[in-house]
């Protein structure tokens, strides 16, 4: 245990230097779901807990019907993480697939209410089906009298942290304060020469590079990591590029091409060629223009 703790601390420190916040997950048993896939094979889902997963969030919402009646309700958000599938044996010594869905302990503590437990069960089934591309039977789901199928396996959650916070470098000088070289004379600051407006207007203004920013998102924060095997880096599931185009009221005159490792934007006012840090699926990308903020 002591060696394991040193190993985890060192790995966490190394990842933090890469701008990644790493949390080791030791799933605590909860309850088990038993169902079948579309081929009739047994599938078990361990609904377990970890304090490193987000707690449930509740918000109140109002909806006005056509008759003017205001209906009040409550919306619930259940954060969860998924671990890689692992093979286990059932009671008949037949191999079966097991998936772990990890919630916050507060989520499972509310499962004493039947309606809330049904919400957790449906969320677990939907999460496994969506992320692992499975078709599971959602009716006649059984609840074996066990808290966990197989052996709990340690996993890891990784989140990219913001590397540059606003104002973090305000204390630094605008340029390096290097000493002057011997024999170098100081150059007097001269006012900028006046530009000839007639010549400037006669020339076509070149397109500028627009302001942009990249945002990375992950649907599943839990890396594919079991036992002592670490996944190869952090690759987000979504790469979002926000490009500011204040000189365009719509996207009619804007050409955008997205490739697997880059994107290009061209218009009469802007030109942008951007190298993407991660490979993307260019065939399934989406683009939209917000007229309110011209982005």
């Amino acid at each position: 245990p002591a060696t394991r703790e040193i190993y985890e601390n060192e790995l966490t420190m190394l990842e933090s230097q890469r701008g990644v916040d790493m949390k080791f997950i030791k799933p605590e048993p909860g309850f088990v779901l038993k169902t079948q896939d579309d081929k009739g094979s047994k599938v078990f889902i361990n609904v377990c807990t970890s304090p490193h997963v987000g707690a449930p969030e509740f918000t109140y919402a109002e909806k006005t019907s056509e008759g003017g009646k205001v209906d009040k309700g409550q919306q619930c958000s259940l954060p969860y993480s998924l671990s890689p599938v692992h093979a286990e044996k059932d009671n008949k010594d037949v191999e079966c697939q097991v998936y772990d869905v990890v919630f916050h302990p507060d989520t499972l503590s509310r499962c004493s209410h039947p309606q809330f437990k049904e919400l957790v069960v449906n969320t677990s089934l939907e999460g496994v089906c969506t992320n692992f591309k499975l078709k599971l039977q959602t009716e006649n789901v059984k609840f074996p009298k066990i808290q966990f199928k197989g052996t709990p396996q340690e996993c890891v959650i990784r989140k990219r942290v913001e590397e540059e916070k606003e104002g973090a470098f305000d204390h630094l000088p605008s340029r390096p304060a290097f000493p002057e070289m011997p024999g170098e004379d100081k150059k007097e600051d001269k006012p900028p020469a006046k530009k000839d407006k007639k010549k400037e207007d006669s020339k076509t203004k070149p397109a500028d590079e627009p302001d942009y920013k990249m945002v990375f998102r992950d649907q599943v924060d839990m890396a594919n990591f079991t036992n002592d095997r670490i996944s190869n880096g952090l690759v987000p599931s979504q790469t979002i590029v926000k490009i500011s185009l204040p000189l365009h009221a719509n996207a009619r005159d804007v050409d955008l091409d997205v490739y697997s490792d880059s994107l290009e934007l061209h218009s009469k006012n802007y030109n942008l060629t951007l190298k993407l840090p991660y490979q993307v699926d260019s065939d399934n990308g989406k683009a939209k223009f917000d007229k309110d903020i011209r982005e």
Side-chain angles (χ1 to χ4, degrees), residues 9 23 35 48 50 77 81 83 96 109 137:
N9 291 337
K23 300 290 185 183
T35 184
C48 37
S50 172
S77 174
S81 290
S83 68
C96 55
S109 66
Q137 295 182 8

Side-chain angles (χ1 to χ4, degrees), residues 2 11 13-14 24 29 33 62 66 150 152 166 170 177 216 264 292:
L11 189 58
M13 185 180 301
L14 289 174
F24 283 89
L33 308 178
E62 294 183 356
E66 294 181 357
E166 186 176 356
D170 290 346
F216 305 100
E264 295 182 2
D292 296 332

Side-chain angles (χ1 to χ4, degrees), residues 272-286:
L272 176 64
T273 300
L274 183 62
K275 184 76 173 178
L276 300 176
Y278 302 103
Q279 293 281 331
V280 298
D281 185 358
S282 57
D283 295 331
N284 294 317
K286 296 181 181 179

Side-chain angles (χ1 to χ4, degrees), residues 134-253:
L134 294 179
K135 292 183 179 180
L136 299 179
Q137 295 182 8
T138 57
E139 298 180 358
N140 301 323
V141 176
K142 298 181 180 180
F143 298 84
K145 295 182 179 180
I146 55 176
Q147 293 183 318
F148 199 94
K149 180 67 176 177
T151 304
Q153 301 184 35
E154 189 173 89
C155 304
V156 67
I157 287 181
R158 294 176 176 180
K159 288 186 179 180
R160 184 176 296 277
V161 296
E162 185 179 1
E163 295 181 359
E164 295 185 7
K165 297 182 180 180
E166 186 176 356
F169 302 101
D170 290 346
H171 63 286
L172 297 179
S174 58
R175 60 179 181 178
F178 294 119
E180 297 179 4
M181 295 295 293
E184 183 179 9
D185 297 330
K186 294 183 179 180
K187 296 182 180 181
E188 296 181 359
D189 295 332
K190 297 181 179 180
K194 294 183 179 180
K195 297 181 180 179
D196 190 342
K197 291 186 177 180
K198 292 183 179 181
K199 292 183 179 180
E200 195 175 68
D201 294 338
S202 63
K203 297 180 180 179
T204 303
K205 183 181 178 182
D208 295 328
E209 183 177 279
D211 294 332
Y212 67 89
K213 64 180 178 179
M214 281 189 284
V215 179
F216 305 100
R217 290 181 180 173
D218 243 329
Q219 294 180 348
V220 183
D221 292 328
M222 185 166 290
N224 294 331
F225 164 54
T226 56
N227 296 332
D228 291 335
R229 185 178 60 189
I230 306 297
S231 61
N232 296 325
L234 179 67
V235 179
S237 60
Q238 295 182 17
T239 298
I240 301 172
V241 182
K242 298 182 179 181
I243 306 174
S244 179
L245 305 173
L247 298 181
H248 288 281
N250 53 58
R252 189 177 306 165
D253 299 326

